[in-house]
Amino acid sequence: KSYVAVVFGIPRVYDSVINGNDEVGFGGDTFATINYPIDGKDAVTLWKTVSTVMSPEWGTLSLVHLMPKTGRTHQIRRHLSYCLGCSIVGDSKYDGGGERARSARDMGMFLCANSVEFTHELIDKHTSIVAKIPVPEKFYTIMGCKNNSK
């Protein structure tokens, strides 16, 4: 699975004091690695910042591409908030409770799967099926960007 999220602030590799924050290549792109346990279990998320904008209403916002390698409860939300210090816009559980964060809760969470890949055992054990999912329009709106995929 691959996800996109809009977060408050600018996630930075060197800001996160976490075990295993190495950069890895994946699909031609470079991702940083969060390797930080959740509830006592291994939890790994690959991430990279796609773009950052300054919003007059929301302050600094970043679009982040994420690929969780494990599937812990609220893994992406917790890794972004706890390890990178950048909560997802609209996340009422892990947003830190600041004024802007509380104001954004009514807009819904800005986290969305944008690609799902799986192997179809009935067709061919070596064939992967990939479903690309469009990024919601509200992501473009809050970032002040135009959706060029239309």
Side-chain angles (χ1 to χ4, degrees), residues 17-19 34-38 41-45 79 82-83:
V17 183
I18 53 182
N19 181 28
I34 299 171
N35 185 352
Y36 189 82
I38 292 177
K41 297 178 182 176
D42 289 342
V44 177
T45 304
H79 274 172
Y82 299 161
C83 299

Side-chain angles (χ1 to χ4, degrees), residues 119-135:
T119 302
H120 195 297
E121 298 291 330
L122 296 177
I123 295 175
D124 181 350
K125 292 182 181 185
H126 304 289
T127 301
S128 292
I129 297 173
V130 179
K132 299 285 185 182
I133 304 159
V135 175

Side-chain angles (χ1 to χ4, degrees), residues 10 12 19 41-42 49 59 62-64 69-70 75 86 93 113-116 121 130 133-134 139:
I10 304 171
R12 299 178 199 269
N19 181 28
K41 297 178 182 176
D42 289 342
T49 301
S62 296
L63 180 67
V64 183
K69 295 302 173 187
T70 51
Q75 176 177 321
C86 295
K93 188 169 183 81
N114 70 330
S115 177
V116 178
E121 298 291 330
V130 179
I133 304 159
F139 283 44

Side-chain angles (χ1 to χ4, degrees), residues 20-33 46-47 67 69:
N21 196 10
D22 301 318
E23 291 190 352
V24 297
F26 187 85
D29 290 331
T30 301
F31 287 81
T33 303
L46 302 181
W47 68 275
M67 291 187 296
K69 295 302 173 187

Side-chain angles (χ1 to χ4, degrees), residues 50-111:
V50 176
S51 65
T52 299
V53 299
M54 177 56 80
S55 164
E57 184 175 2
W58 302 107
T60 304
L61 299 172
S62 296
L63 180 67
V64 183
H65 183 191
L66 304 134
M67 291 187 296
K69 295 302 173 187
T70 51
R72 307 293 174 225
T73 301
H74 300 172
Q75 176 177 321
I76 291 173
R77 297 164 67 188
R78 291 161 89 175
H79 274 172
L80 286 170
S81 182
Y82 299 161
C83 299
L84 300 182
C86 295
S87 62
I88 298 171
V89 174
D91 186 347
S92 61
K93 188 169 183 81
Y94 301 103
D95 67 7
E99 185 178 335
R100 280 190 173 149
R102 286 192 320 271
S103 297
R105 290 176 181 174
D106 291 339
M107 297 188 302
M109 192 166 5
F110 282 70
L111 173 65

